[in-house]
């Protein structure tokens, strides 16, 4: 097997009805990685148990990309996952301090999370090796520090935009990916504030075309935008296969 991506969530920050926020499983022969852990993902993992996670990787500290680390860590400490092999949690730089501050609200600390996982911070300048997968990072254009993430194993590559406005860097970073998981949060980028931090479906399609990716999976799409509208906008810019992320969708590359 190369890589397989399974959509667990994919909602924007205000979750779509019945759909968790950002969270995706990336699996190879040797690893099962949870990519982002937004609100609703812990419940999704409990409903559709994929088996032991080897690692968790977080793109940035907006709530819809990591908040469910709080309930998920209970699964490991007190729930039925407590006999599973320890997973490693990979946070953006400064992440240990973020967890420390969050847990301080209930008199906890980063050790609260360390009771569940090995907690590391990745260096976005370096490759991160997880078994037979290689993770690389590129800063995105967002309202807080955020990293687009590329995962390679053998000849298979998945590129994940995370949250971002269009950047010169993104298309280079995602170049030639077998699967491009790209956000399309906005209905129309013209309505975005002067400080850009997200894309609309036209822009996502344009980035996919520039990056010459083999397949585009749009995500972070508000239900109100309408799937037909979103697909039409993206198809006007990119001629490859396009889908919109929905829970349970699994793509092997
Ligand atoms: Zn964000």
């Amino acid at each position: 097997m190369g890589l397989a991506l399974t959509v667990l969530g994919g909602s924007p920050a205000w979750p779509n009805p019945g759909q968790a926020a950002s969270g995706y499983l990336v699996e190879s022969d040797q690893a099962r990685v949870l990519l982002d852990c937004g609100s609703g993902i812990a419940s999704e993992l409990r409903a559709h148990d994929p088996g032991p996670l080897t690692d968790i990787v977080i793109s940035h500290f907006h709530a819809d990309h990591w908040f469910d680390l709080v309930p998920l860590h209970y699964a490991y400490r007190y729930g039925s996952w407590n006999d599973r092999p320890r997973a490693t949690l990979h946070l953006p730089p400064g992440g240990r301090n973020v967890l420390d501050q969050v847990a301080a609200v209930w008199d906890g600390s980063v050790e609260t999370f360390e009771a569940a996982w090995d907690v590391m911070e990745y260096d976005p300048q370096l490759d991160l090796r997880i078994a037979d997968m290689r993770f690389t990072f590129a800063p995105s254009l967002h309202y807080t520090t955020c990293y687009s993430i590329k995962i390679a194993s053998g000849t298979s590559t998945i590129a994940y935009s995370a949250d971002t406005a269009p950047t010169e860097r993104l298309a280079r970073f995602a170049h030639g990916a077998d699967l491009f998981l790209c956000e399309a949060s906005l209905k129309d980028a013209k309505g975005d504030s002067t400080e850009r931090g997200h894309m609309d479906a036209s822009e996502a399609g344009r980035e996919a075309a520039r990056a010459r990716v083999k397949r585009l999976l749009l995500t972070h799409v508000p239900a109100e935008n309408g799937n037909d509208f979103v697909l039409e906008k993206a198809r006007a810019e990119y001629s490859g296969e396009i889908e919109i992320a929905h829970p349970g969708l699994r793509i092997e590359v």
Side-chain angles (χ1 to χ4, degrees):
M1 177 170 102
L3 289 168
L5 179 131
T6 304
V7 177
L8 300 173
S11 274
W14 180 34
N16 294 330
Q19 184 182 17
S22 293
Y24 313 89
L25 275 182
V26 181
E27 294 169 283
S28 66
D29 285 331
Q30 296 175 21
R32 180 179 292 119
V33 179
L34 175 62
L35 185 59
D36 280 342
C37 188
S39 39
I41 292 300
S43 174
E44 203 62 35
L45 284 168
R46 189 167 182 174
H48 309 284
D49 187 348
L53 303 175
T54 56
D55 299 81
I56 303 168
V57 179
I58 301 295
S59 65
H60 69 301
F61 276 106
H62 275 156
D64 57 320
H65 289 256
W66 79 275
F67 249 23
D68 260 25
L69 289 180
V70 176
L72 188 60
H73 98 283
Y74 292 123
Y76 285 85
R77 292 185 66 188
Y78 310 117
S80 58
W81 288 16
N82 70 352
D83 57 355
R84 295 198 167 179
R86 276 175 78 82
T88 302
L89 171 63
H90 305 268
L91 301 168
R96 289 175 56 85
N97 188 43
V98 172
L99 293 191
D100 210 42
Q101 290 182 38
V102 168
V105 172
W106 62 88
D107 297 325
S109 70
V110 68
E111 290 173 14
T112 306
F113 293 93
E114 285 176 324
W117 306 300
D118 295 334
V119 181
M120 323 278 281
E121 295 178 4
Y122 55 78
D123 180 345
Q125 314 264 22
L126 302 176
D127 290 0
L128 170 65
R129 285 274 179 184
I130 295 178
D132 55 351
M133 298 186 199
R134 184 163 55 89
F135 284 65
T136 47
F137 304 87
S140 78
L141 181 57
H142 196 43
Y143 305 114
T144 188
T145 304
C146 177
Y147 296 97
S148 300
I149 299 173
K150 191 164 56 184
I151 305 126
S153 183
T155 58
S156 304
T157 307
I158 295 171
Y160 171 43
S161 66
D163 286 0
T164 189
T167 66
E168 281 302 313
R169 196 185 293 121
L170 181 61
R172 280 201 307 275
F173 184 67
H175 189 83
D178 297 296
L179 177 63
F180 184 31
L181 176 62
C182 186
E183 75 125 285
S185 306
L186 305 175
K187 183 147 193 184
D188 184 347
K190 291 191 200 82
D192 204 2
S193 58
T194 47
E195 186 190 359
R196 296 291 312 273
H198 287 293
M199 282 192 266
D200 66 20
S202 301
E203 291 174 325
R206 215 170 294 144
E207 294 301 311
R210 289 172 61 210
R212 298 175 183 272
V213 297
K214 301 202 177 73
R215 190 167 175 176
L216 173 61
L217 180 58
L218 298 170
T219 194
H220 220 275
V221 177
E224 293 79 4
N225 291 4
N227 284 3
D228 290 346
F229 174 85
V230 168
L231 287 170
E232 188 185 321
K233 289 286 183 191
R235 282 194 184 120
E237 304 289 341
Y238 173 72
S239 57
E241 189 176 347
I242 310 175
E243 285 172 277
I244 296 178
H246 58 85
L249 176 65
R250 180 180 165 90
I251 297 174
E252 293 186 13
V253 297

